[in-house]
Amino acid sequence: MQPPRLATGRPAPLPAPGPARVPSSSSFGTVEALLLLVAVIWGGSYSAAKLATAEMPVLQFLVLRFGLTFALLLPALRGLRAAQSWRAALAGAALLGINLLAIFVCETFGVSLTTASNAAFLISLCVAFTPLCEWWLLGERPGRAVLAAAGLSLLGAGLLAFQHGGVSGLAWGDGLMVLAALLRGVMVCLTRRQGRRHGLPALTLTAVQMGVMAAGSALLMLATHGTAWPALPRSGAFWGAMAFLVLCCTLFAFFVQNHAASRTSPSRVALLMGSEPLWGALIAALWMGERMAVQGWLGGLLIVVSAWWVTRGGGRA
């Protein structure tokens, strides 16, 4: 799932340790390495979320996951004082949180209404959508190498998702997954715009997002289940999965994405995060015992190659 990063105009320095800058097209530095680490972590989130949601309704699970994360990040809200206009910064960050909530809702219900292979392929469309959103929202036309790498990543995602054959017809679930992929691309670009305009620290931006996510999930839970919420599970497996999701998949991952959004191009963020399906497949094979066909491994290799390509020589050329 991806947090906010979007903006127009030339960048203004973030109130972080130093001014934000976009690395050269041939560099693979700390930011890119962290994004790949997040892709690996999120690859494991599918198995963890599957364990957790087996014991709790999806919306209640989202309330707990993002509520716990928001509680841990409450001290970071003091960073709002660093913005030139804290009200405008708060409004922009809240809008990104709403976008993120929409992504999670579309993904969650989309998966329930289509096949898993379709969902995995369709959400990977964010790799192709992001350069177009970058062009639309930021006025930065993607280079041919970025577009080619996005196409290669899409091909790999298709091979990985459809390795066992059997593609069902388009359904409402497919449409929701396409919408979620588009919203992911928008999120990447809007987060970068937010960083340029208001210069909020990454942790502060993440804290606001998590608060909006928790409140929005709670409202949806109340609307669908009323006040009769199930009791919290007591199993160690559930709380172990929740700890991993809160600390690694949410707190750390969203911070890295918000931090990286103003320090590298949205297309790079999307392409590096596009390796997530590969890591998810690897973890599922090793942990859950799922088997992958040769076609699946080939697709995963293409995704990794596309991410490497764009960071090595793609850039915006």
Side-chain angles (χ1 to χ4, degrees):
M1 2 340 343
Q2 168 310 183
R5 357 187 150 102
L6 343 140
T8 237
R10 288 297 102 195
L14 287 176
R21 66 179 181 85
V22 176
S24 64
S25 62
S26 62
S27 64
F28 187 97
T30 303
V31 169
E32 287 78 12
L34 286 173
L35 286 170
L36 281 177
L37 177 59
V38 168
V40 176
I41 290 173
W42 272 0
S45 70
Y46 296 107
S47 298
K50 185 173 182 178
L51 290 173
T53 53
E55 301 187 42
M56 175 178 285
V58 170
L59 290 174
Q60 186 179 4
F61 159 76
L62 292 177
V63 174
L64 183 60
R65 173 179 175 179
F66 296 111
L68 289 173
T69 308
F70 178 66
L72 292 174
L73 287 174
L74 275 174
L77 291 177
R78 290 176 295 186
L80 285 169
R81 294 177 295 185
Q84 294 180 349
S85 173
W86 71 268
R87 288 184 177 85
L90 179 60
L95 179 61
L96 294 177
I98 293 172
N99 192 356
L100 185 60
L101 176 61
I103 292 172
F104 271 87
V105 169
C106 288
E107 287 184 1
T108 303
F109 288 101
V111 169
S112 70
L113 296 173
T114 188
T115 63
S117 60
N118 273 23
F121 171 69
L122 292 171
I123 198 62
S124 297
L125 286 171
C126 67
V127 176
F129 286 150
T130 298
L132 300 178
C133 291
E134 189 177 4
W135 192 356
W136 167 41
L137 292 169
L138 305 182
E140 299 176 2
R141 183 173 181 174
R144 287 174 295 179
V146 169
L147 293 175
L152 187 65
S153 183
L154 278 175
L155 174 60
L159 292 173
L160 184 63
F162 303 136
Q163 59 183 301
H164 302 300
V167 181
S168 65
L170 290 178
W172 280 106
D174 298 306
L176 287 173
M177 295 308 299
V178 172
L179 178 58
L182 176 61
L183 289 173
R184 278 194 179 196
V186 170
M187 178 70 76
V188 171
C189 298
L190 290 180
T191 304
R192 190 176 181 194
R193 174 181 292 177
Q194 172 74 7
R196 288 176 173 178
R197 287 183 173 176
H198 304 294
L200 281 180
L203 273 179
T204 303
L205 181 58
T206 305
V208 175
Q209 286 179 271
M210 296 304 104
V212 172
M213 285 285 294
S217 299
L219 289 175
L220 291 173
M221 183 68 182
L222 287 171
T224 56
H225 291 78
T227 56
W229 293 18
L232 295 178
R234 297 184 179 181
S235 70
F238 172 85
W239 289 106
M242 183 60 69
F244 173 72
L245 289 166
V246 169
L247 298 177
C248 298
C249 302
T250 307
L251 184 60
F252 173 74
F254 283 119
F255 166 75
V256 168
Q257 288 191 23
N258 288 330
H259 172 79
S262 296
R263 289 164 171 78
T264 191
S265 74
S267 295
R268 278 195 179 191
V269 172
L271 284 162
L272 287 167
M273 297 308 299
S275 64
E276 178 188 339
L278 170 63
W279 304 119
L282 287 171
I283 292 171
L286 296 174
W287 185 11
M288 309 295 286
E290 296 183 4
R291 300 180 63 182
M292 288 181 60
V294 174
Q295 175 181 322
W297 291 113
L298 176 59
L301 178 62
L302 288 178
I303 293 173
V304 173
V305 168
S306 68
W308 171 83
W309 181 13
V310 78
T311 55
R312 287 290 300 172
R316 312 196 63 77

